[in-house]
Amino acid sequence: GAGVSQTPSNKVTEKGKYVELRCDPISGHTALYWYRQSLGQGPEFLIYFQGTGAADDSGLPNDRFFAVRPEGSVSTLKIQRTERGDSAVYLCASSFYYTGEISGNEQFFGPGTRLTVL
Amino acid sequence: DQQVKQNSPSLSVQEGRISILNCDYTNSMFDYFLWYKKYPAEGPTFLISISSIKDKNEDGRFTVFLNKSAKHLSLHIVPSQPGDSAVYFCAASALSLGNYQLIWGAGTKLIIKP
């Protein structure tokens, strides 16, 4: 079956521009997560969706970052007025919704979008 | 303040021998732990997980051990194979608190020597 897909794989933009990053989760997964990873570090949580709503957006660094998941499947991460410090690999993951009856919350990741802000 | 720490940036192991990757955590509310493997230019791939009610979980060549009193977990790979060369991340979550986000260590680069 198809895994998590992310587009574009690479995005180069100029400081101050607006970017959108797209994530297609695994079919049947109701939970979707965005992380970003800087060089030499582990991924850093940004936001988590359960269905269409953002259940936890505590990781978004500031109000330039916003994410949507209007139909409970595909999600778009939007970054306004990009800054050089936003350069990173943006990872999307999906999972089944943990209900306590499932053993855990194994998350399955896409290949990431490498964002470079010049 | 790093809640999940992997203190070894890299580890080199002879093919066929055991690889042991270590991870320490500080948050006692973490109750679910996962190991991921990552190749360059790819996303992390789930390897194995363990709940805090267990102290060991095994899947083929991979075994994860959890020592709650020491807030320490380890991943054992035996025997190590060349294809195991990758960066390994441990991650933790506090499911009982409804926190599904994963908190990650910085990773350990494993190099398997032929």
Side-chain angles (χ1 to χ4, degrees), chain B residues 35-71:
Chain B
W35 283 94
Y36 283 81
K37 172 181 178 179
K38 187 179 184 303
Y39 294 118
E42 295 184 11
T45 301
F46 170 72
L47 272 178
I48 192 168
S49 60
I50 189 166
S51 164
S52 60
I53 63 173
K54 297 184 177 180
D55 55 18
K56 177 182 175 181
N57 189 26
E58 194 171 352
D59 184 2
R61 295 186 300 115
F62 302 92
T63 303
V64 56
F65 295 92
L66 175 63
N67 182 334
K68 288 190 295 294
S69 61
K71 294 192 178 67

Side-chain angles (χ1 to χ4, degrees), chain A residues 35 43 45 105 107 109, chain B residues 34 36 91-93 100-104:
Chain A
Y35 294 83
F45 170 76
N105 67 334
Q107 298 175 20
F109 284 80
Chain B
L34 307 91
Y36 283 81
S93 61
Y100 306 124
Q101 60 175 277
L102 296 180
I103 307 299
W104 298 72

Side-chain angles (χ1 to χ4, degrees), chain B residues 1-75:
Chain B
D1 177 32
Q2 271 191 300
Q3 298 187 67
V4 178
K5 298 179 184 179
Q6 293 177 258
N7 292 318
S8 298
S10 66
L11 176 67
S12 186
V13 175
Q14 199 74 34
E15 179 180 358
R17 305 295 288 268
I18 184 170
S19 295
I20 301 176
L21 298 131
N22 293 302
C23 179
D24 296 291
Y25 62 96
T26 58
N27 188 340
S28 58
M29 296 309 297
F30 287 148
D31 54 13
Y32 203 77
F33 304 88
L34 307 91
W35 283 94
Y36 283 81
K37 172 181 178 179
K38 187 179 184 303
Y39 294 118
E42 295 184 11
T45 301
F46 170 72
L47 272 178
I48 192 168
S49 60
I50 189 166
S51 164
S52 60
I53 63 173
K54 297 184 177 180
D55 55 18
K56 177 182 175 181
N57 189 26
E58 194 171 352
D59 184 2
R61 295 186 300 115
F62 302 92
T63 303
V64 56
F65 295 92
L66 175 63
N67 182 334
K68 288 190 295 294
S69 61
K71 294 192 178 67
H72 177 84
L73 63 155
S74 61
L75 175 68

Side-chain angles (χ1 to χ4, degrees), chain A residues 15-16 64 81-88 115-118:
Chain A
K15 180 175 178 296
R64 295 186 298 105
R81 304 183 303 280
T82 51
E83 299 178 357
R84 293 194 179 88
D86 298 335
S87 296
L115 176 65
T116 303
V117 182
L118 301 176

Side-chain angles (χ1 to χ4, degrees), chain A residues 37 89 91 110-112 114, chain B residues 36-47 61-62 77 81-89 108-112:
Chain A
Q37 186 174 20
V89 175
L91 295 164
R114 179 174 295 279
Chain B
Y36 283 81
K37 172 181 178 179
K38 187 179 184 303
Y39 294 118
E42 295 184 11
T45 301
F46 170 72
L47 272 178
R61 295 186 300 115
F62 302 92
I77 307 172
Q81 299 174 354
D84 296 331
S85 295
V87 178
Y88 289 78
F89 291 94
T108 296
K109 184 175 184 178
L110 177 64
I111 301 164
I112 305 301

Side-chain angles (χ1 to χ4, degrees), chain A residues 22 40 42 80 95:
Chain A
R22 176 187 166 107
Q80 299 177 321
S95 74

